[in-house]
Amino acid sequence: MVDRVMQAVDELWDAEVQFLQGLVRRPSTLHHEAEIQNWIAREMAEMGLEVDRWEIDPGALKSLPGYSPVEWSYHGRPNLVGTLRGSGGGKSLLLNGHVDVVSVEPIHFWSHDPWGGEIVDGRMYGRGSADMKSGIAAMIFAVKALQRAGVRLKGDVYLNTVIEEECTGAGALSTIARGYRADAVVIPEPFGQTALISQVGVLWARVTVRGAGAHARSASAATNAILKAMPLLQAVKELEAEVNRPEVKPAVWQDIPHPINYNIGQFHAGDWTSTVPAEAVFEVRIGTYPGENLEEVKARFRDRIMEAARRDPWLRDHLPDVMFYAFHAEGADFDPNQEIFAALAAAHQEVTGTPIRQEVTTATTDARFFQLYQGVQTTCYGPSGDNLHAADEWVDLESVRSVTKVLARLMMDWCGAEV
């Protein structure tokens, strides 16, 4: 039975590659996820899955742990679950993947079409090819291979494709709020076929700095908000260095040279070269260790910004504004002694012939929701790729095929299988 399933993955491989190209060729940046979700929904319906498609209600999420406040609407941006019903008596499994991707700008840095899904030397290039449309293709085609091989699972399988993993996690949280729960969750993020055991938390901060605008002819008598932001940016990097000191790191993070990143990701100021800018705004992605209280991290960041501001005569009287929006993601640890890790390790060993390795990541994933707030055993396991969030993102296609086989084998073992 196992051999038939592995053979089915190979027989469907060309179709899986074409499906992944279809995912990459459907741009799905923030607010533009509907086309790809509707396309996936049609695929799931053709597979005979029960398809549940809904729009997120932020009002229903605000009281839930893990909620991240936003400044935008969820109208016309669906979440999706396709359910493969088992025959009964087996454990259930939820496979989760996010369809949202980050910007491709500056596009002139790319040597491949970011929305083309071009294949060169066994790699597929394009935004989201690795992060994480390849994982979505793998989990869908793992189910297809089981169906093609005539294998019936005893436990239910949920294929969950969500929005906003890259900025809030609202899609995963909404899946929980809608009532979905499984005995285990696996997210095929592109971690090079490793099992995730720990991830950082993430906050997004916005700092607004006031100056005093003027015509450039009077620049020497004005107050340039860009220049006033400089000591605050330096304060951010000094705080980042402090939270990465060896004595601060939890044990599992000791071998990671720089686990916590305070990334200054956006800076906006001015709109005319001959005008002294009266306002500068910069945004920071703040990493946190598992177990850290997010409110305490926010207070520490705000205090450091204000300390730096008070050392400047102008800023002392015009204190910057510090606010936090979108990501309010706690860090999370995932116990490798849980049953799902043993089942995943066995499937990986059988398919690849090598022991599975464990991963500690300086990024965050939607895995935190299921582990922290549902108490469901959870990990990530997905393909190999590189240049995530950068130009010429790519995924290794043979790793996608391998992950597809591992997920199919995992479903047979975890959920129970019968012909």
Side-chain angles (χ1 to χ4, degrees):
M1 183 164 56
V2 174
D3 289 343
R4 290 207 310 273
V5 173
M6 299 300 105
Q7 181 181 347
V9 173
D10 290 332
E11 292 171 350
L12 291 167
W13 178 238
D14 288 344
E16 183 172 353
V17 171
Q18 291 172 10
F19 181 75
L20 177 54
Q21 284 179 316
L23 294 175
V24 173
R25 290 169 180 171
R26 286 168 170 80
S28 50
T29 51
L30 185 66
H31 308 306
H32 301 97
E33 310 94 343
E35 180 185 0
I36 193 169
Q37 287 285 64
N38 292 335
W39 190 65
I40 294 172
R42 287 193 293 272
E43 186 74 17
M44 289 181 176
E46 291 175 2
M47 294 166 62
L49 306 186
E50 300 172 14
V51 179
D52 183 16
R53 178 171 37 193
W54 74 95
E55 291 183 6
I56 294 172
D57 176 9
L61 304 184
K62 287 181 179 179
S63 63
L64 299 180
Y67 172 71
S68 295
V70 297
E71 305 169 334
W72 49 75
S73 169
Y74 287 103
H75 178 68
R77 304 169 57 209
N79 239 30
L80 184 63
V81 169
T83 301
L84 177 68
R85 291 293 174 194
S87 60
K91 295 191 292 287
S92 58
L93 181 67
L94 187 145
L95 297 167
N96 164 281
H98 67 89
V99 298
D100 56 308
V101 299
V102 301
S103 169
V104 300
E105 298 298 336
I107 198 168
H108 60 267
F109 281 12
W110 289 73
S111 56
H112 300 272
D113 180 355
W115 308 117
E118 297 176 33
I119 299 173
V120 180
D121 296 331
R123 296 176 175 180
M124 184 182 294
Y125 289 85
R127 176 61 78 231
S129 57
D131 185 19
M132 62 163 291
K133 294 178 177 180
S134 54
I136 291 174
M139 68 192 204
I140 289 174
F141 272 78
V143 169
K144 279 179 172 280
L146 292 170
Q147 292 176 322
R148 185 183 184 94
V151 173
R152 179 80 184 274
L153 299 178
K154 296 179 180 179
D156 296 337
V157 171
Y158 305 100
L159 300 181
N160 177 213
T161 58
V162 300
I163 67 173
E164 286 201 10
E165 187 271 353
E166 298 285 5
C167 58
T168 66
L173 185 58
S174 180
T175 297
I176 293 172
R178 198 158 176 89
Y180 287 99
R181 182 186 181 93
D183 292 309
V185 174
V186 174
I187 302 179
E189 288 276 11
F191 290 150
Q193 295 188 254
T194 60
L196 180 68
I197 62 169
S198 191
Q199 67 182 38
V200 300
V202 171
L203 287 164
W204 276 6
R206 178 183 294 146
V207 181
T208 302
V209 183
R210 288 177 56 197
H215 191 286
R217 67 181 183 178
S218 306
S220 59
T223 303
N224 190 313
I226 294 176
L227 300 180
K228 291 302 176 184
M230 295 300 107
L232 307 186
L233 296 173
Q234 182 61 35
V236 170
K237 302 312 287 184
E238 290 171 357
L239 180 57
E240 178 189 58
E242 291 178 18
V243 298
N244 281 284
R245 296 195 311 266
E247 63 270 23
V248 176
K249 298 179 187 178
V252 73
W253 296 88
Q254 285 297 322
D255 293 335
I256 308 297
H258 196 280
I260 301 300
N261 292 293
Y262 281 31
N263 182 64
I264 301 166
Q266 295 192 59
F267 191 106
H268 305 284
D271 59 6
W272 194 253
T273 306
S274 292
T275 297
V276 177
E279 184 176 87
V281 179
F282 64 90
E283 299 195 6
V284 185
R285 178 270 203 192
I286 301 169
T288 75
Y289 292 112
E292 283 197 276
N293 182 291
L294 296 186
E295 292 305 314
E296 293 177 1
V297 175
K298 288 159 70 172
R300 182 176 63 201
F301 180 85
R302 184 183 288 108
D303 289 348
R304 185 57 61 91
I305 291 292
M306 294 306 173
E307 288 174 12
R310 291 189 178 98
R311 290 193 289 267
D312 180 276
W314 170 267
L315 291 177
R316 187 183 308 129
D317 294 330
H318 304 84
L319 290 174
D321 177 67
V322 181
M323 60 89 68
F324 300 88
Y325 79 106
F327 261 137
H328 281 61
E330 294 183 82
D333 292 315
F334 308 93
D335 183 1
N337 295 313
Q338 297 177 101
E339 288 180 89
I340 191 62
F341 280 85
L344 179 61
H348 173 90
Q349 177 81 45
E350 183 172 330
V351 171
T352 69
T354 60
I356 198 169
R357 293 179 295 110
Q358 295 177 347
E359 173 78 9
V360 175
T361 181
T362 56
T364 192
T365 76
D366 280 339
R368 67 187 183 276
F369 291 104
F370 306 101
Q371 177 78 32
L372 294 178
Y373 310 130
Q374 278 194 316
V376 171
Q377 47 186 311
T378 305
T379 190
C380 294
Y381 174 91
S384 301
D386 205 352
N387 295 338
L388 283 64
H389 291 219
D392 287 339
E393 178 182 350
W394 59 268
V395 68
D396 176 78
L397 288 175
E398 279 306 312
S399 76
V400 180
R401 190 199 304 241
S402 181
V403 168
T404 306
K405 291 181 176 180
V406 171
L407 293 180
R409 187 68 185 92
L410 174 65
M411 283 185 270
M412 296 175 69
D413 179 53
W414 182 259
C415 303
E418 56 189 15
V419 179

